[in-house]
Amino acid sequence: MTHTRALPLALIQLEVPPPQVVAQIGEQPVWFIDALQLQPEDYVIVRPHLGEELPAFDRVSGSILSGSWAMVTDHADWSERTAAWIRGALEAELPLLGVCYGHQLMAYALGGKVGDNPNGWERGLKTLTHTASDDPWLATLPGEFQAWLSHRQSVITPPSQAEVLARSELDGCQILRYSPQALSVQFHPEFTREIMTTCLPEGVSDDGAQVAGEDWSRELLQRFWQQTRPQPRVQAQGA
């Protein structure tokens, strides 16, 4: 049995957090690196907002598109450029995971509608309900699970080809599946309570409680990471 060499995972950072957040907990890629316990050779960080080129599809094993303090509806140049890259990545069957802003950007890029959440700002530790038990990514997920959320905009109308896999009380599009390799989540599987609290403005409650039991959203992040890893190949006898 042999292993093919692993290409790095692209962590696509979409804008920067406010300075006080960066000072305390760093920028978005650090949260994913810590959550997945990535080694330096496991990933590359790409910052489109600084004019950095998005990766060639054959040079990375997959990509996570981060959350952001920006709004998709602002149509910033770097965001529109990333949206075009997403369309190409889907055609190339590159594994993709969009998170929060990345979730909304993927939906927008593929023909969905993004706008202000008519139910208001959803934040804190919330209960989500998944609606597709036959999806392999959700195979072991309980019918209800908790995840950290902080967003003012939402996917209002999903792309026609997307399947809605989960919802919450305030948002009907918590997980979208676009293809066997590509999906996106409105919640933050990379968050901890510390990250959640630090990201909120001073004096604003996270409306949450301590996570009880298994952190299923973190397990989903791990599952995506494993999807991007090369599978061992069994050598034929006599080879």
Side-chain angles (χ1 to χ4, degrees), residues 66-131:
S66 81
S68 178
W69 273 252
M71 298 291 182
V72 170
T73 53
D74 288 342
H75 302 293
D77 289 346
W78 58 265
S79 186
E80 294 295 311
R81 183 162 56 91
T82 306
W85 181 87
I86 288 169
R87 291 189 286 271
L90 196 76
E91 291 181 5
E93 299 184 351
L94 183 73
L96 295 177
L97 175 62
V99 173
C100 198
Y101 186 97
H103 162 76
Q104 297 166 17
L105 186 61
M106 284 182 66
Y108 161 76
L110 299 171
K113 179 183 177 182
V114 173
D116 292 346
N117 184 344
N119 295 314
W121 181 9
E122 187 175 38
R123 66 185 187 273
L125 186 68
K126 299 299 182 183
T127 298
L128 280 58
T129 303
H130 82 79
T131 55

Side-chain angles (χ1 to χ4, degrees), residues 200-232:
L200 291 173
E202 186 176 355
V204 175
S205 168
D206 64 12
D207 290 347
Q210 292 293 339
V211 174
E214 190 163 2
D215 185 348
W216 288 100
S217 67
R218 181 62 60 85
E219 180 174 313
L220 296 181
L221 183 61
Q222 291 280 355
R223 198 168 296 168
F224 175 79
W225 163 240
Q226 291 303 319
Q227 178 186 328
T228 71
R229 298 298 83 199
Q231 300 302 310

Side-chain angles (χ1 to χ4, degrees), residues 158-225:
S160 58
Q161 76 272 34
E163 181 183 3
V164 178
L165 300 183
R167 64 186 70 250
S168 67
E169 183 180 355
L170 299 183
D171 193 320
C173 295
Q174 286 287 348
I175 303 178
L176 293 176
R177 164 77 69 186
Y178 309 94
S179 74
Q181 299 82 25
L183 69 157
S184 64
V185 299
Q186 181 58 70
F187 54 90
H188 284 277
E190 81 283 17
F191 268 25
T192 61
R193 171 171 285 279
E194 178 189 11
I195 294 173
M196 177 81 254
T197 303
T198 304
C199 288
L200 291 173
E202 186 176 355
V204 175
S205 168
D206 64 12
D207 290 347
Q210 292 293 339
V211 174
E214 190 163 2
D215 185 348
W216 288 100
S217 67
R218 181 62 60 85
E219 180 174 313
L220 296 181
L221 183 61
Q222 291 280 355
R223 198 168 296 168
F224 175 79
W225 163 240

